[in-house]
Amino acid sequence: DLWWKNAVIYCLDVQTFADSDGDGVGDFNGLTERVDYLAGLGVTCVWLMPFYCTADLDDGYDISDHYAIDPRLGTFGDFTEFMTVATDRGLRVIADLVVNHTSDQHRWFQQARQSRDSEFRDFYVWQDSVPDSGPTGVVFPGKQEAVWTYDTSAGQYYLHRFYRHQPDLNVAEERVRDEIRKMIGFWMAQGLSGFRVDAVPFFLETAGIDQAMELAPHDYLRDLRAFVDRRRGDAALLGEVNLPAEQQREFFGDEDGDELNMLFDFLGMQATYLALARGLATPVADSLRNRPDVPDESAFASFLRNHDELTLDKLTDRERQEVFDAFGPDPDMQIYGRGLRRRLPPMFGGHPHRIRMSFSLMFSMPGAPSLFYGEEIGMGENLNIEGRLAVRTPMQWDAGPVAGFTSAPADALTRPVPEGDYSPDRVNVASQRMDETSLLNWFERLIRLRKELPEVGWGACQVLDVDDEILALRFDWEGRRLVTVHNFSGHKATARFAIEDASRLDDLFGTAKPAAVRKQTARVELPAYGYRWLRLVS
Ligand code: TEU
């Protein structure tokens, strides 16, 4: 019942997935019509990006009403229809929980800024002058000037770790914590299986807040998790925690894992790009060895891309430059001095083996894989779109000029589809359905395989000793024994590694003959960017 240990997560934004009413904006009815596509692909959990009422200056991450659905996306009834169909098809649904801040249009902030006597004043973080202690460093360099902004009608500065239109909530205020609990309870009552918790370290941070917090921030996270478990025993919290390895562990909680059920593996993701840029597996092997121990019932979520920039903030400057040089040399592809606003296939020049190897690798990382919509067909970005939004273009369903996303004309789209090699006529679901060798059909098989191999989520994972170009992982769980092998280099390579308890290795994801084990050594031949999933046979 610990479904998140082996979930296949699929992140999408209702706004860009499918438009049913021809206004150029995706909606819940459009999504509902595509639930069978998702179920057929085999994903097990849909992560919905924010669909709440919003001022829409940060693509929905600036919520103005947590209890209402953005009217462009549909009604509450439409949402419930979607939940009903998704549940019927066996899909779990989680949604973004954005509680570090609200939109400045939220009625709490609007009232708070009117007067110091407002009952909502303490919902936010105010100071008469910018304090010396307190958070420093903006999240969006170049787009955000400060973390404190003076509000003339409030007559004070308010804290905002993100854009100035996203005032931070005051986590030290008990009424704020109560409101957050209520929101969680409300959305779980609508059928959600949990949340992707936005910006967790920022949300828990108390620097800059004068008000004393009666409980430690991690006790608060523990309290939230206990609340979630009380309301719905099978719900999970998947946190966005992009921190160094030594700080990650704390967010899982105590030995039994009583805080976040899952953490995104930001470090493994960054190491993967460095490894791919170098053609050497060592950064990934090192990152796996440095991973904190995960409590039995918790898990990492692996990913290669998400809706934000591909952040490389945890690499050294030289390492980051290596990745920039390899995958995003044009300054227009880079953002905030730390990341790339690209999708994976164009970064790899569309190289089909490299693309498949990367996703095979991601699916073989200990933990649960998380996909970003369109990855299953190899969508590219549109750099003509501003900032991070370049990767958030409409889902490409068919070869038409609007990608089958809408019945509206192309100029009604809020975000234009990519042109050139990644335009809908080159990359779309309809044509890949017809082609047995397509990426889409390959993904279906990869997902089926991954679901049949729970040892990847549950098992003990060992990094085997092989040449630097190759990553070989062994998983052991309840008598099941699996080895995955990935070649990071653009030439043939042979993986030789010790196997003492098998006579051969059977290929589970391909047509290769079984690999022989002789003198307790396995020998696996790999083409350039080759990958193998191998079952140990005695
Ligand atoms: O992102 C928060 C966040 O911490 C990242 O932007 C981080 O700064 C980046 O990965 C570099 O480490 C979340 C959402 O994912 C993003 O879309 C929102 O804009 C942001 O919160 C504000 O809600």
Side-chain angles (χ1 to χ4, degrees), residues 47 49 58-62 96 98 100-101 139-140 162-163 166 196 198-202 240 242 266 270 306-309 311-314 336 338 388 392:
W47 154 22
M49 284 169 60
D58 186 16
D59 201 20
Y61 284 89
D62 47 332
D96 253 290
V98 187
N100 172 70
H101 48 263
V139 176
F140 305 125
F162 296 92
Y163 295 111
Q166 291 167 319
R196 178 265 187 186
D198 189 55
V200 181
F202 297 96
E240 185 197 21
N242 179 10
F266 275 92
Q270 303 189 35
N306 63 15
H307 61 292
D308 289 333
E309 74 280 6
T311 182
L312 300 164
D313 64 337
K314 297 296 181 288
Y336 308 137
R338 63 167 180 251
R388 289 170 153 186
R392 304 185 197 176

Side-chain angles (χ1 to χ4, degrees), residues 287-335:
S287 146
L288 282 172
R289 291 194 187 98
N290 285 338
R291 259 190 185 193
D293 284 336
V294 180
D296 283 349
E297 300 192 351
S298 315
F300 272 107
S302 312
F303 67 106
L304 287 175
R305 287 297 293 112
N306 63 15
H307 61 292
D308 289 333
E309 74 280 6
L310 187 190
T311 182
L312 300 164
D313 64 337
K314 297 296 181 288
L315 301 183
T316 65
D317 291 349
R318 276 184 59 183
E319 292 168 340
R320 185 178 316 109
Q321 194 58 47
E322 282 179 64
V323 180
F324 280 177
D325 291 346
F327 300 136
D330 184 340
D332 187 39
M333 298 166 173
Q334 301 164 10
I335 187 166

Side-chain angles (χ1 to χ4, degrees), residues 241-270:
V241 181
N242 179 10
L243 289 178
E246 46 299 353
Q247 293 173 43
Q248 284 180 334
R249 178 60 186 80
E250 212 186 339
F251 290 82
F252 282 121
D254 70 7
E255 271 166 50
D256 294 335
D258 59 356
E259 296 186 35
L260 298 172
N261 306 72
M262 304 184 83
L263 260 62
F264 280 110
D265 185 11
F266 275 92
L267 302 178
M269 181 277 290
Q270 303 189 35

Side-chain angles (χ1 to χ4, degrees), residues 316-374:
T316 65
D317 291 349
R318 276 184 59 183
E319 292 168 340
R320 185 178 316 109
Q321 194 58 47
E322 282 179 64
V323 180
F324 280 177
D325 291 346
F327 300 136
D330 184 340
D332 187 39
M333 298 166 173
Q334 301 164 10
I335 187 166
Y336 308 137
R338 63 167 180 251
L340 292 170
R341 50 190 208 105
R342 306 195 75 190
R343 280 178 176 260
L344 183 140
M347 288 195 272
F348 296 170
H351 194 300
H353 301 309
R354 222 173 172 190
I355 294 166
R356 291 177 193 205
M357 183 288 240
S358 308
F359 282 106
S360 168
L361 175 75
M362 173 186 130
F363 272 66
S364 73
M365 287 291 119
S370 176
L371 289 167
F372 183 49
Y373 76 93

Side-chain angles (χ1 to χ4, degrees), residues 191-471:
L192 293 189
S193 291
F195 300 89
R196 178 265 187 186
V197 191
D198 189 55
V200 181
F202 297 96
F203 157 51
L204 294 184
E205 180 183 65
T206 53
I209 304 179
D210 289 341
Q211 188 175 337
M213 183 158 167
E214 330 67 276
L215 75 179
H218 277 277
D219 287 335
Y220 172 42
L221 189 55
R222 202 163 272 130
D223 173 88
L224 278 186
R225 167 66 187 285
F227 175 81
V228 165
D229 287 352
R230 275 203 307 280
R231 290 290 170 97
R232 187 171 163 164
D234 65 343
L237 296 176
L238 162 56
E240 185 197 21
V241 181
N242 179 10
L243 289 178
E246 46 299 353
Q247 293 173 43
Q248 284 180 334
R249 178 60 186 80
E250 212 186 339
F251 290 82
F252 282 121
D254 70 7
E255 271 166 50
D256 294 335
D258 59 356
E259 296 186 35
L260 298 172
N261 306 72
M262 304 184 83
L263 260 62
F264 280 110
D265 185 11
F266 275 92
L267 302 178
M269 181 277 290
Q270 303 189 35
T272 300
Y273 283 95
L274 181 63
L276 290 163
R278 290 183 176 169
L280 293 176
T282 31
V284 180
D286 292 344
S287 146
L288 282 172
R289 291 194 187 98
N290 285 338
R291 259 190 185 193
D293 284 336
V294 180
D296 283 349
E297 300 192 351
S298 315
F300 272 107
S302 312
F303 67 106
L304 287 175
R305 287 297 293 112
N306 63 15
H307 61 292
D308 289 333
E309 74 280 6
L310 187 190
T311 182
L312 300 164
D313 64 337
K314 297 296 181 288
L315 301 183
T316 65
D317 291 349
R318 276 184 59 183
E319 292 168 340
R320 185 178 316 109
Q321 194 58 47
E322 282 179 64
V323 180
F324 280 177
D325 291 346
F327 300 136
D330 184 340
D332 187 39
M333 298 166 173
Q334 301 164 10
I335 187 166
Y336 308 137
R338 63 167 180 251
L340 292 170
R341 50 190 208 105
R342 306 195 75 190
R343 280 178 176 260
L344 183 140
M347 288 195 272
F348 296 170
H351 194 300
H353 301 309
R354 222 173 172 190
I355 294 166
R356 291 177 193 205
M357 183 288 240
S358 308
F359 282 106
S360 168
L361 175 75
M362 173 186 130
F363 272 66
S364 73
M365 287 291 119
S370 176
L371 289 167
F372 183 49
Y373 76 93
E375 285 188 315
E376 72 276 24
I377 54 170
M379 273 171 56
E381 70 279 353
N382 184 348
L383 291 172
N384 295 327
I385 305 173
E386 207 272 323
R388 289 170 153 186
L389 301 181
V391 301
R392 304 185 197 176
T393 58
M395 178 66 184
Q396 294 174 194
W397 297 104
D398 72 23
V402 289
F405 163 77
T406 178
S407 58
D411 59 11
L413 286 178
T414 41
R415 281 182 212 146
V417 295
E419 292 160 13
D421 290 345
Y422 296 88
S423 63
D425 60 330
R426 307 263 179 95
V427 177
N428 68 75
V429 173
S431 59
Q432 293 195 26
R433 276 183 202 284
M434 322 263 290
D435 174 2
E436 279 174 25
T437 65
S438 68
L439 187 63
L440 177 63
N441 283 314
W442 179 86
F443 256 108
E444 270 187 42
R445 283 185 284 123
L446 176 68
I447 292 171
R448 182 184 311 125
L449 175 77
R450 176 62 187 77
K451 285 160 75 176
E452 289 172 355
L453 298 171
E455 54 268 48
V456 180
W458 278 106
C461 173
Q462 204 186 329
V463 181
L464 302 178
D465 198 14
V466 283
D467 285 352
D468 285 352
E469 294 161 340
I470 299 166
L471 184 76

